[in-house]
Structures are given as structure tokens and as C-alpha cells.
Amino acid sequence: MLDNVTINQLRAFVAVCDQGSFSGAARKLGRAQSAISHAVKALESAFDVELFDRDTRKAQLTAAGRSLLPDARAVISRTEEMKTRAGSIARAGAPQVSVAVDVYFPRAHLIESLRTLQAEFPTAAINLRITTMQGGERLVLEKMCALAVTIQNVPEVSPDAVERHWLCEAEMVTLCAPSHPLASTPKSIPVDEFGRHVQIVVTDNQPEAEKTQQGVAGKRLWLVNDLGAKRDLLKAGLGWGHMPRHLVGEDLVGGELVELERRAWHLGPLVFVISQRRGYDLSPCESRLVELLGKP
């Protein structure tokens, strides 16, 4: 029965192959030769095949033995890998990272950061939430996430319980579709003119979320809770709005969106911060992720 196959039997089989004899395998593994012979016979019984030709003085593999040897090596290799990983977990615990990331954060950089983190911490378990506005800090406050990538000018949920640290910046642009009236304005556009047209604004689902809206020019607002929906509405010519340049670069190059010049209205970069509970000590894995995210 294959269920009776043990790793020690496989080790004995591979050792005999590598050493060329049962006595050599016994010396290699530090076991009695009779124990090696018994392990190989038990393996042959479980597989219901002969692994070695008993008619020769040396340990000569049969056709079945040659076919099964690579599989035995693979099982032993994976077992060693598992033991190493288990030892790492036993010593330091399995790294866990729970992080909420604002939807405006550059997605390509987030993915590249996680790819690097996975290579450096292969046993790490990642809990990733994509949020908007105050959503990330609420998850931190509720201990659903240890960290949150938050936009700096979004009001803090609980300054006494959550602290922020600067992370990085992203350029913002103001734009609309080529068919929108603002696209045909020959000069830089004042705030009042922007206010005469519908502005598409991303908000979240929290109560009184409208109080956290930034860069608003007037009262004619369409609120959406999804950044992709905002981009689609802008491309459809249904309004104007602000977007991170990294999200609309292809649309600008392709002419599906046009950048608008603002007059006497400065729109600074989008500043991202790391939010965490006060007094919380980051693990090496979490510290490394913060370091990676801070280098877009």
C-alpha cells in the first residue's frame, strides 16, 4: 500500500543509488545495513515492483527503479523544504501582514512591492484590503488591519489611537473627455468655471463621507465609490475631475482624456502616509513592506 511508504524508506532507496551499494548507504545514513535492506524491501512491497536487480553484485537499478528514482528525489527535496520552512516558522512564527491600501495608490508599484516581499519572506501570509478615504484607518482602528496606506489630507479617524508616517507622493492631474465643454476652453480655467460643470468625486461608504472630499470646486458633484467608475464617467464626457497621473497616463496618450490647465488654483501631489495604531511595533516583514511601498 502506498500509504505505508515512509520518507526513511525513500531516503534509503536514494542513498543506495547514490552510494552504489547497501553497505555504502548504511554508512551514509548512519544505520545498520540490515535496516537499509529492510527499508528497501518494504518500499518494493508498497510499490509492488522490484527496484534493484538482485542477480548482480552491485546495486543495479531495474527499469522500474530508474523510473521511480526522480520521484523519490523530488519527494525528499520537498520534505526538506517543508522542514526548513517549519523550522523558520517555529523560530519566528509565520510572518503575517494585514494592510489596507487606498485605491489611489499606484497599483503597479503595490504589486511589485508585494512580489519583492514574497521573494524575501516566502512564508508570509498577506491580508490585503483596497479601501477609499477613511476606510483604511477604520480597519486599523478595528484591528482588522495592522497598517493602512492613507491619503494625508483625508481627516484622521481617531488621532489619539492611530498615528501617521509619511510614505510617498503621486502627481495629480485635472482632466475631462475631449467632448466635454471644458476641453475646448482656450486658456487656463478659473475655479469658478470649473464650478459650473459637474465634478466627479470619489467618496467612500462611511457616514458623512462627503466631509472628507478634497479638491472640490463647486456644488455640482457626482459621487462614486469606485475609482474605475470615476475614470469611465470621465471618459464618457459626463464630468471633469482629478486623477493620479499614473492611472490615466494611457488615456491621455490615447486622447481619450485631456489634461486641463487650472488658473490660480494649485493642486498639490497626492501624499500617502502609513497609518498604524499608536504603540504598535512593526515586524521585520511589515517594516520591509513599508520600505518597499515608500519607493515608487
Side-chain angles (χ1 to χ4, degrees):
M1 295 292 292
L2 293 180
D3 289 344
N4 295 328
V5 172
T6 68
I7 192 67
N8 284 334
Q9 293 168 355
L10 294 174
R11 290 186 193 281
F13 169 45
V14 172
V16 172
C17 296
D18 290 344
Q19 302 302 314
S21 67
F22 283 77
S23 59
R27 290 191 297 271
K28 170 77 172 179
L29 298 179
R31 300 170 64 187
Q33 184 172 335
S34 59
I36 299 298
S37 297
H38 178 76
V40 172
K41 287 181 180 179
L43 190 61
E44 289 177 322
S45 177
F47 287 155
D48 196 22
V49 297
E50 288 190 355
L51 299 172
F52 294 99
D53 187 351
R54 274 22 181 224
D55 295 335
T56 61
R57 295 183 62 181
K58 291 192 64 176
Q60 188 83 26
L61 281 170
T62 63
R66 287 193 297 272
S67 178
L68 291 171
L69 180 58
D71 294 322
R73 293 189 190 279
V75 171
I76 293 172
S77 176
R78 290 302 301 272
T79 301
E80 290 299 323
E81 180 182 341
M82 184 178 179
K83 285 172 59 180
T84 300
R85 183 173 294 116
S88 175
I89 293 172
R91 289 190 297 272
Q96 297 187 10
V97 177
S98 56
V99 57
V101 180
D102 192 274
V103 67
Y104 274 86
F105 191 80
R107 187 65 54 85
H109 176 57
L110 171 62
I111 292 172
E112 189 59 33
S113 297
L114 291 174
R115 180 179 288 115
T116 301
L117 189 74
Q118 184 183 51
E120 297 180 6
F121 296 86
T123 64
I126 305 296
N127 175 16
L128 175 65
R129 308 288 185 93
I130 303 299
T131 57
T132 57
M133 298 296 180
Q134 296 176 312
E137 286 195 345
R138 291 185 187 278
L139 290 176
V140 170
L141 193 62
E142 296 166 3
K143 298 184 179 181
M144 297 293 292
C145 288
L147 304 171
V149 177
T150 310
I151 298 175
Q152 183 184 50
N153 56 10
V154 169
E156 296 177 80
V157 172
S158 179
D160 293 336
V162 177
E163 60 181 354
R164 293 177 169 183
H165 303 278
W166 185 90
L167 184 64
C168 62
E169 298 179 352
E171 182 184 2
M172 293 289 289
V173 292
T174 304
L175 33 71
C176 67
S179 60
H180 192 278
L182 287 174
S184 59
T185 303
K187 298 180 181 180
S188 57
I189 305 171
V191 175
D192 290 346
E193 181 61 24
F194 277 112
R196 296 189 183 97
H197 300 271
V198 170
Q199 180 179 359
I200 301 174
V201 178
V202 171
T203 185
D204 63 17
N205 297 320
Q206 302 297 333
E208 300 183 343
E210 65 276 2
K211 293 182 180 180
T212 68
Q213 296 159 6
Q214 305 295 322
V216 173
K219 300 293 186 181
R220 301 190 62 190
L221 306 178
W222 283 16
L223 305 180
V224 296
N225 65 351
D226 177 76
L227 194 59
K230 175 178 180 177
R231 180 184 174 206
D232 291 339
L233 294 177
L234 290 173
K235 291 167 68 173
L238 295 174
W240 66 273
H242 310 300
M243 290 284 283
R245 185 178 292 278
H246 64 266
L247 288 178
V248 293
E250 293 183 2
D251 298 324
L252 291 171
V253 172
E256 295 182 88
L257 290 171
V258 295
E259 185 173 351
L260 301 173
E261 182 180 349
R262 302 176 303 274
R263 182 197 304 171
W265 181 20
H266 175 67
L267 182 65
L270 199 60
V271 179
F272 294 102
V273 296
I274 282 288
S275 302
Q276 63 188 78
R277 295 187 301 276
R278 292 192 178 276
Y280 179 79
D281 292 328
L282 271 63
S283 69
C285 187
E286 291 168 335
S287 296
R288 180 56 174 152
L289 178 59
V290 172
E291 180 185 2
L292 292 169
L293 292 176
K295 300 176 180 179

